[in-house]
Amino acid sequence: MKTLILGAGYAGLAVATKLKPTPGLEALMVEQNAYHTFETRLHEAAAHNTRVTLPLSPLLRGTGVALEQAQVEHVALDDQEVKLKDGRVLTYDTLVVALGSVTNFYRIPGLAENAAELKQLSDADEIFNFVNRAYTTEYQGNRDIVVGGAGLTGVELVTELAQRAQLLSKERGLPPFNIYLVEAGPKILPILDEGLRAKAQRTLEEYGIHILVGHRLMQATADTVTVQTASGEQKVIEAGKIIWTGGIQARDIVSGSKLEKGPGGRIAVDDRLRAKGYPEVFVIGDMGLALNQDGKPVPTTAQHAGQQGRLTGKNLLRLAKGEELEPYEPTTLGEFVSLGGLMAVGWMKLPWNQKLAITGGIAHVMKRASEWRWRASID
């Protein structure tokens, strides 16, 4: 069974590290980087240059999975072919598509051309280098930062940037830059309940972050954004760096005559995480539109990507042995938001569907614990 695993993000790596040498199973991972990136910690790399990658080769030892460092250009499900950027074409018997997502700029004029993203290591490097440049005496331009989108990524990024700005201000005797968090919706962090959200908002305000909820980003230039309030009032904010974290969509590189797609371009899958109409193709992580027990889309989070990857790895072994596949039963163990330093807010799941709200240092430890569990699961 010739198996291709496309992508080494949370989902793809979870698949590969669940495999082991098995008669009849020949597995190849295709990934453009030689490392796995902890995407949930990119905000730390952007502010503090924290190391957030792990080399892939040691992680794949003992799995029987070979690594091909290459970029996928197109996946043709009807032909069972994967075309690579360098022109090569790979074929498969079984395919795992775990190529993640790309930023959704929602066709906002000038945004894609002028805003930085926070999807990969090079994005974090770009932001980190700007902050360092802005705190030199030679820098003459605008030093302020506008971050669009007040979900997990946006909130975690602005708190880390504010912390970094305070540190550099003390070291170099320059005033901190302004940070604007722009959100079209009525509140930040809609995934949290009101009490935790209020705690997070107070923390952001203590950092001096300008929170602009109910402000839709209308257009961007190289050094400005135009925002509009619910009443229609528009204003222009000048900035030295614009960063967009306001949405994602699945990579649009998979084609097939029987393919079904849902919101955000995600590919509809069955209860074994196989693309509908293509039982030999598993689609997991941000690209897959899996449903929970209530028939609602499973969130595009690292914990769910890991769950899907681990199940798919086990199911590939079952497939190679001629055994029946296990169904996908998603569970959300909790959600924690880092707010800089040792501060975090979030909740963890308790028995009987109860939630325990946690804030402060304990929440920070719980967030780190989830990352340690992930690290342990792929070692």
Side-chain angles (χ1 to χ4, degrees):
M1 188 174 78
K2 188 176 180 182
T3 301
L4 297 180
I5 303 168
L6 307 183
Y10 289 101
L13 188 57
V15 174
T17 52
K18 275 297 171 189
L19 297 182
K20 55 188 176 183
T22 304
L25 177 59
E26 176 191 343
L28 175 68
M29 169 175 277
V30 181
E31 164 60 42
Q32 63 180 338
N33 299 310
Y35 52 82
H36 165 72
T37 302
F38 294 99
E39 288 189 30
T40 56
R41 297 186 63 190
L42 279 172
H43 59 282
E44 296 177 37
H48 309 293
N49 205 27
T50 306
R51 184 185 171 195
V52 293
T53 61
L54 285 174
L56 286 173
S57 293
L59 296 173
L60 297 179
R61 284 191 198 123
T63 63
V65 179
L67 175 63
E68 181 69 42
Q69 196 174 335
Q71 189 171 353
V72 175
E73 185 172 72
H74 183 247
V75 181
L77 300 189
D78 291 335
D79 300 321
Q80 292 191 210
E81 290 182 347
V82 175
K83 184 179 180 182
L84 304 180
K85 207 82 168 179
D86 59 19
R88 288 180 293 156
V89 176
L90 305 179
T91 59
Y92 61 85
D93 300 312
T94 308
L95 178 68
V96 178
V97 181
L99 290 167
S101 56
V102 294
T103 301
N104 189 345
F105 292 100
Y106 299 104
R107 299 181 182 176
I108 298 171
L111 192 58
E113 296 82 2
N114 295 296
E117 308 169 49
L118 192 57
K119 291 290 293 174
Q120 55 190 3
L121 192 60
S122 58
D123 300 329
D125 289 342
E126 178 187 339
I127 296 167
F128 179 78
N129 290 336
F130 169 79
V131 172
N132 274 359
R133 246 187 0 262
Y135 273 95
T136 60
T137 53
E138 296 83 18
Y139 185 79
Q140 298 297 316
N142 189 303
R143 299 164 64 240
D144 295 343
I145 294 178
V146 172
V147 175
L152 278 171
T153 302
V155 168
E156 291 187 327
L157 176 61
V158 294
T159 53
E160 295 290 347
L161 288 175
Q163 192 179 57
R164 177 70 174 163
Q166 289 178 356
L167 178 66
L168 289 175
S169 292
K170 290 177 183 176
E171 284 182 355
R172 304 182 186 181
L174 294 169
F177 45 58
N178 290 304
I179 301 174
Y180 298 88
L181 182 62
V182 178
E183 170 57 47
K187 54 196 175 187
I188 68 170
L189 297 171
I191 63 163
L192 297 182
D193 65 29
E194 193 56 47
L196 291 173
R197 188 182 307 118
K199 176 68 175 175
Q201 178 141 345
R202 284 196 300 273
T203 302
L204 266 61
E205 289 167 350
E206 288 167 4
Y207 274 121
I209 295 164
H210 304 277
I211 304 170
L212 305 178
V213 294
H215 286 66
R216 185 175 298 277
L217 204 154
M218 304 301 291
Q219 68 175 35
T221 68
D223 51 12
T224 68
V225 297
T226 302
V227 297
Q228 179 175 293
T229 64
S231 63
E233 178 192 356
Q234 289 196 359
K235 51 186 169 184
V236 176
I237 304 172
E238 295 184 353
K241 175 63 71 176
I242 303 162
I243 307 166
W244 179 249
T245 68
I248 60 170
Q249 59 188 5
R251 292 184 186 275
D252 187 21
I253 59 174
V254 179
S255 66
S257 58
K258 296 173 283 186
L259 209 58
E260 295 180 29
K261 291 188 177 182
R266 296 167 73 186
I267 296 171
V269 298
D270 65 15
D271 64 351
R272 267 68 176 174
L273 301 175
R274 299 170 299 186
K276 292 184 177 179
Y278 298 91
E280 73 283 358
V281 179
F282 296 85
V283 186
I284 56 177
D286 289 358
M287 289 195 71
L289 182 59
L291 303 180
N292 64 18
Q293 293 85 342
D294 298 322
K296 296 179 180 178
V298 174
T300 53
T301 66
Q303 66 172 306
H304 292 106
Q307 288 174 20
Q308 293 170 19
R310 287 188 287 275
L311 174 68
T312 300
K314 292 175 183 175
N315 275 340
L316 286 174
L317 292 175
R318 291 188 181 94
L319 204 56
K321 298 172 185 174
E323 299 173 358
E324 189 173 338
L325 304 187
E326 283 192 7
Y328 173 53
E329 297 179 358
T331 180
T332 302
L333 301 175
E335 197 69 72
F336 290 91
V337 184
S338 171
L339 298 174
L342 300 179
M343 179 64 192
V345 299
W347 60 273
M348 64 178 291
K349 184 178 180 180
L350 295 176
W352 302 290
N353 285 325
Q354 297 298 305
K355 292 181 180 181
L356 175 64
I358 307 173
T359 64
I362 297 176
H364 171 78
V365 170
M366 294 302 298
K367 182 173 175 63
R368 280 287 183 261
S370 67
E371 292 162 0
W372 296 330
R373 282 197 301 272
W374 165 247
R375 176 67 184 264
S377 75
I378 59 175
D379 276 344

